[in-house]
Amino acid sequence: MGKIEWAMWANEQALASGLILLAGGIVGVAGQFRGWEFAAYAVAAGVFVCLLEYPRSKRAKGTSVERSGQYCFTVCVKAFGPLTRNYYVRAFLHAAICVPGGFMLATVLGCVCLGIASLIYLAAAIRGEHWEPILPRKDVRKPVAESIKNPPQNPPPRPPPETRRKQAKDLEGAAYDNPSSVTDD
Amino acid sequence: MFHIYMESSHMFVYNLALSWARAPAACLNFNCMLILLPVCRNLLSFLRGSIQFCSRTAARQLDRNLTFHKLVAYMIAFHTAVHIIAHLFNFEFFMDAQLNRNSSFLPFVLSEIGTDDNASFLNPIRSNETNPTIVMFTTIAGVTGVVITLALILIITSSMEVIRRSYFEVFWYTHHLFIIFFIGLVFHGYGRIVRGQTAGSQQTNKPHLCADRFEDWGKNESDCAVPEFAGNPPGTWKWVLGPMILYVCERLVRIYRSHQKVVITKVVMHPSKTLELQMRKKGFHMEVGQYVFIQCPSVSRHEWHPFTLTSAPEEDYFSAHIRIVGDWTQALYEACGGDKTETQEAWKLPKYETGRMGDGPFGTASEDVFRYEVVMLVGAGIGVTPFASILKSVWYKRIQNNQEVFTKKIYFYWLCPETEAFEWFADLLQSLERQMAEKDVANFLSYNIYLTRWKETEAAHFRVHHEAENDPITGLKQKTLYGKPNWDNEFTNIASKHPGTKVGVFLCGPPQLGKSLEKQCLSHTEGDVKFIFNKENF
């Protein structure tokens, strides 16, 4: 199927699952359904999954498209180091999170969707993918040429005043050989 | 819809959750009927051809088929969400009715009906020893509902733009879950889980009279018998059967067309990783600017990729210029012997005589070009390909055959970020320029090439050769311009040179450019000059 990075699809699926889990949880709590404790859990779990999955990973090949405003989330997720970088951890985390959702009708859909996302992450992990933060590139300024760093210490050599006056009238006569060297030896 | 349900007794006392579920279900029936239609490409091509004789504006709406398909998909997703949430509340109430075993609670009384004969019951939850999740997985409606919702969610997540543009195969194969979606949808109502009072029962137990006197139902003195309920027959199939049949026909047509033999007559390697394939197919007929799907079995049995035709209808072959940018194109390049340096004999090229298939051509907006007296063609980067076909056709008609063409003037704008990759197009422009000069019709085509990105080293070269007769990049007499065009100026110029005409503006390029051109068209359409914007994209 070509060089697909499964993690990209897993990310979309997991984000969608987080939202579905959240929605199911809100309905369960608002409607005061039986088992609303599971719904309350689903609200918290849904928010957590959304926050974890919002920042997109940098692609191994090709241009990465950021989600709007994802920079702060990237920084937070990056802070957890290997826990968030490794997709095996994510796969098992999602599998674990989704289980309590299966106990109540309102959250069952979120549970199954998150389970599927977990499987796709497992596939991504087996293929050796990992999460890379998308950070703004620091522009490397071209190294400034050497000569610019050393401004001249002395004013440019000028001909004596008589010759300067001559310059205005007679250009040929004004030319003269500079006594001191003008190159940077 | 609500009125009918207010009459049946369970709506009288329960809640509106069932109405909230039935209303989006009706919308879903409608939307699922519509969603298959915009992707029947052959049907649309045919319709486009027929409608064009009545109204070109109507025909142009068919170019937006993908936008419509997406819009209907969003509606399906929204209505599914409302439908599910409503049913969640519904199931809670049905469960409450079973758990609250109190004879002065009407919902409980209603739930007890039909427990003996298991036929005339109302509450689909039949006992108090179950829970909604179990009920969902043991009813046809529940299981089909879960399966089709999952299919829908997977289809949606794999259709996100990021996935679609980078990994087309994932998008394409996952999208075929729609087959499961439609099968599940048709069977969703088969369990007849939604129940209403039977007509016969409504005579013996009139809801508006008997609803409050539920404790007396069936007793001798009251004139309210115990009500009977039956399930409503499934209705979705009536909506979706037609489009499903149309879509099956569409796929059959595609398979049939794809089996017709296509023969490669010539393969040309252009600089900067561009492959030109010249092909012939029996009975093939094309119009300018159309596109075809090409499959190469030796590369991949299931992948079909769209490419704009770059040849003109007047030529005896059809060609496509393919840029090598991904796996499939790279494999195609190698299969054509692109990585070998010596020339290949035609019969040595793999599998072409028997295997290569083409599907198409499909029409898009470019066919309308010759209907306008004055035309502005704007191509950005790879978007220049359909215009190759148009310009070649123009040349054949006007210059070689000396036909009378309705189009009197073409303004061509080509925006590209780099000089490489389109040498083949520059060659085409060069030969057009030469031939027009020979026939003395140099004013027919006015083209402007804009280089939107350049390197510092190149810039110095351009400065030095600014005064040369031919452009240093393209070799054309018309100089390359740098940066982006000032559209305001261009439109104003054209409007002043051609008063009283309809100017067709055709774009093949990025959406942002489309939006700005569209705005320009609207703002410069005044007095008697009309700018009409046509957009093409895949």
Side-chain angles (χ1 to χ4, degrees), chain B residues 114-167:
Chain B
T115 334
D116 311 317
D117 59 5
N118 228 15
S120 57
F121 59 88
L122 170 63
N123 191 337
I125 301 183
R126 303 304 311 137
S127 91
N128 62 338
E129 289 179 12
T130 177
N131 68 52
T133 316
I134 296 177
V135 171
M136 184 183 75
F137 281 110
T138 50
T139 47
I140 295 181
V143 171
T144 51
V146 169
V147 165
I148 68 181
T149 310
L150 275 179
L152 184 67
I153 292 172
L154 284 172
I155 289 177
I156 291 178
T157 56
S158 63
S159 308
M160 302 305 299
E161 182 141 4
V162 164
I163 309 280
R164 205 171 69 233
R165 297 231 179 261
S166 321
Y167 314 115

Side-chain angles (χ1 to χ4, degrees), chain B residues 270-299:
Chain B
H270 288 280
S272 325
K273 298 163 84 83
T274 304
L275 182 67
E276 177 185 350
L277 289 176
Q278 293 185 2
M279 299 165 273
R280 278 183 133 115
K281 181 174 172 180
K282 212 160 75 154
F284 187 84
H285 174 69
M286 62 168 278
E287 300 285 333
V288 287
Q290 288 193 312
Y291 63 96
V292 287
F293 279 82
I294 296 183
Q295 180 216 35
C296 184
S298 57
V299 170

Side-chain angles (χ1 to χ4, degrees), chain B residues 196-405:
Chain B
Q197 196 174 8
T198 60
S201 171
Q202 283 190 20
Q203 302 304 313
T204 54
N205 179 320
K206 297 188 177 55
H208 58 277
L209 289 173
C210 301
D212 296 324
R213 295 156 50 198
F214 56 89
E215 282 163 12
D216 299 330
W217 283 346
K219 297 205 179 108
N220 289 339
E221 333 53 85
S222 76
D223 40 14
C224 294
V226 176
E228 285 169 5
F229 303 93
N232 299 330
T236 304
W237 65 272
K238 298 176 197 157
W239 294 85
V240 298
L241 192 63
M244 278 165 79
I245 291 176
L246 272 176
Y247 190 73
V248 166
C249 291
E250 158 77 20
R251 292 299 282 252
L252 288 174
V253 166
R254 286 192 208 172
I255 292 174
Y256 164 71
R257 289 172 79 158
S258 71
H259 272 99
Q260 294 171 318
K261 238 162 55 165
V262 173
V263 173
I264 302 272
T265 51
K266 196 159 145 191
V267 174
V268 182
M269 297 298 167
H270 288 280
S272 325
K273 298 163 84 83
T274 304
L275 182 67
E276 177 185 350
L277 289 176
Q278 293 185 2
M279 299 165 273
R280 278 183 133 115
K281 181 174 172 180
K282 212 160 75 154
F284 187 84
H285 174 69
M286 62 168 278
E287 300 285 333
V288 287
Q290 288 193 312
Y291 63 96
V292 287
F293 279 82
I294 296 183
Q295 180 216 35
C296 184
S298 57
V299 170
S300 163
R301 281 217 74 86
H302 300 291
E303 293 179 40
W304 292 78
H305 294 263
F307 294 101
T308 312
L309 292 168
T310 46
S311 57
E314 289 83 2
E315 289 170 325
D316 58 357
Y317 59 86
F318 67 97
S319 73
H321 281 69
I322 301 170
R323 280 198 74 196
I324 319 291
V325 280
D327 318 321
W328 187 83
T329 39
Q330 179 68 31
L332 183 67
Y333 175 70
E334 282 159 27
C336 289
D339 46 352
K340 303 185 179 50
T341 43
E342 66 278 353
T343 49
Q344 298 269 301
E345 304 287 332
W347 55 270
K348 276 202 196 133
L349 296 170
K351 269 209 170 200
Y352 290 144
E353 280 70 44
T354 53
R356 180 61 61 81
M357 308 181 215
D359 184 19
F362 296 106
T364 57
S366 310
E367 300 172 302
D368 296 330
V369 168
F370 296 121
R371 305 252 163 94
Y372 293 95
E373 214 182 306
V374 178
V375 166
M376 270 177 81
L377 303 176
V378 181
I382 188 76
V384 88
T385 23
F387 300 128
S389 166
I390 293 174
L391 290 175
K392 274 201 241 184
S393 183
V394 155
W395 177 71
Y396 277 111
K397 284 189 167 70
R398 180 75 189 266
I399 291 150
Q400 193 168 55
N401 300 342
N402 223 357
Q403 267 174 339
E404 257 310 299
V405 190

Side-chain angles (χ1 to χ4, degrees), chain B residues 9-10 14 94 110 113 120-124 126 193 195-196 229:
Chain B
S9 63
H10 67 280
Y14 271 164
F94 278 140
L110 284 169
I113 295 172
S120 57
F121 59 88
L122 170 63
N123 191 337
R126 303 304 311 137
I193 196 171
R195 305 181 74 84
F229 303 93

